[in-house]
Amino acid sequence: MDTPLPDGGWAWRGVSLLTRFTVSRWQALAAGDGWAVTVFERTPFTPAGLDVYARTPALTAAQEQEVEAALDGLPAAQTFRAALFNPVHDGR
């Protein structure tokens, strides 16, 4: 469940018994045609990180360049740049 925060970000709270008392603040950093980038705080279950979302299983080369260019100008993204990777999709 997400709740808007005054600074423009969001507070995520789990809904299951295990995650109900877990909160993670997150923020949308950038978006383009078919992609978006968010950054989020750590929780007891996950480290802080950056996610790139796409409407398709993989970004096109042009979209990857757009994301890289967008991340260049975002101080909040720099900590996570070196760890970015393309996930392997097995078609399921």
Side-chain angles (χ1 to χ4, degrees), residues 69-81:
L71 294 178
D72 285 342
L74 298 169
Q78 301 316 305
T79 304
F80 308 107
R81 293 284 304 268

Side-chain angles (χ1 to χ4, degrees), residues 36-48:
V37 176
T38 63
V39 65
F40 53 91
E41 293 180 348
R42 67 174 287 288
T43 72
F45 307 104
T46 61

